[in-house]
Amino acid sequence: MAAFTYVQFHALFVLPALAVLVGVAGMRSRTTRSEVRPLAVAIIVAVAMLYTVPWDNYLILRGVWSYGTDSVAAVIWHAPIEEYLFILLQPLVAALWLHVISPGMPANDETTVSVRDRVVGAAGGALVGLVGVALLTTDATFYLGAIVAWSGPVLALQWAVGWPYLLARGQTLVVAVFAPTAYLWIADRVALESGIWILSEQYTTGLAVLGLPLEEAAFFLVTNVFVVQGLLLYPWVIDRWQSR
């Protein structure tokens, strides 16, 4: 039996973080215009659900991870309802944090993206995906491979759209990704130690960073990268279209 439930995990880690960020973001909105567009957040949350839910359910069905006895309220398909809630809320945490720390769109941005840049960006994401596919071929690296292969198409698209712009916004990107990622690493470590979810020894490498399995560290890193890159790219792309 888990030390506490998945619902309690949300109550302890996810909802308080959201509440604090909503409060701080509200105060910031009164003084500074943010580059985080509500429509962009809605699109990213919808895409996150559509892209993550089938992948997540497949890995549960495959036995990559499971849940502690009596740790979940109910299951839809193969995943707990709390899992769907987590997929929904995680992008909001990252979006609110970016809203809080972002200085806004840079003035007179002159970043250009050539056809060659787009090809390089798409190729970089494709290479990431191919590395993931290679990792899928052995049981011990299966979960890591599933994360890396799953991330490849998203990175290919985002980098093809504007990796030079993301590079120009590197400081904001790093800060916006690191804080929610580090927070969720801590929360995930607690959840694993409490037995809310349990990783399969067969499908994981056994490598850990400060007690956090490498695969879980990679998952929260890439998912927050997806969200932040998408939120940074959206206003840049829209403003470029409108200026034409």
Side-chain angles (χ1 to χ4, degrees), residues 34-53:
S34 171
E35 67 185 294
V36 178
R37 310 283 176 87
L39 180 58
V41 176
I43 291 170
I44 286 173
V45 169
V47 171
M49 292 295 291
L50 291 171
Y51 193 60
T52 306
V53 165

Side-chain angles (χ1 to χ4, degrees), residues 108-129:
N108 302 319
D109 175 69
E110 297 180 355
T111 304
T112 59
V113 181
S114 66
V115 173
R116 180 179 179 275
D117 290 331
R118 297 192 190 283
V119 171
V120 169
L127 181 60
V128 171

Side-chain angles (χ1 to χ4, degrees), residues 154-173:
V154 179
L155 295 177
L157 175 61
Q158 292 180 334
W159 292 347
V161 168
W163 70 262
Y165 177 72
L166 293 171
L167 186 62
R169 300 296 307 279
Q171 183 175 352
T172 298
L173 176 62

Side-chain angles (χ1 to χ4, degrees), residues 142-228:
F142 183 83
Y143 183 22
L144 183 60
I147 295 167
V148 177
W150 174 74
S151 70
V154 179
L155 295 177
L157 175 61
Q158 292 180 334
W159 292 347
V161 168
W163 70 262
Y165 177 72
L166 293 171
L167 186 62
R169 300 296 307 279
Q171 183 175 352
T172 298
L173 176 62
V174 170
V175 175
V177 168
F178 178 76
T181 300
Y183 180 76
L184 291 172
W185 281 346
I186 295 169
D188 186 66
R189 170 89 185 274
V190 172
L192 286 166
E193 290 186 349
S194 301
I196 296 176
W197 48 82
I198 304 158
L199 299 186
S200 165
E201 293 183 3
Q202 178 182 354
Y203 295 119
T204 52
T205 62
L207 300 175
V209 180
L210 299 177
L212 180 68
L214 175 63
E215 295 84 357
E216 294 289 276
F219 173 77
F220 287 109
L221 176 61
V222 299
T223 51
N224 283 311
V225 166
F226 293 167
V227 173
V228 174

Side-chain angles (χ1 to χ4, degrees), residues 33 37 105 234-244:
R33 181 176 180 270
R37 310 283 176 87
M105 288 285 290
Y234 182 88
W236 178 72
V237 170
I238 296 300
D239 288 353
R240 282 165 61 90
W241 283 349
Q242 292 177 342
S243 68
R244 292 176 182 176

Side-chain angles (χ1 to χ4, degrees), residues 9-26 41 45 85-97 99-100 180 183-184:
F9 170 84
H10 280 300
L12 288 169
F13 290 103
V14 182
L15 297 180
L18 278 172
V20 170
L21 288 170
V22 166
V24 176
V41 176
V45 169
L85 181 61
F86 192 85
I87 296 169
L88 177 69
L89 295 179
Q90 185 190 341
L92 298 181
V93 172
L96 285 165
W97 172 246
H99 174 78
V100 168
Y183 180 76
L184 291 172

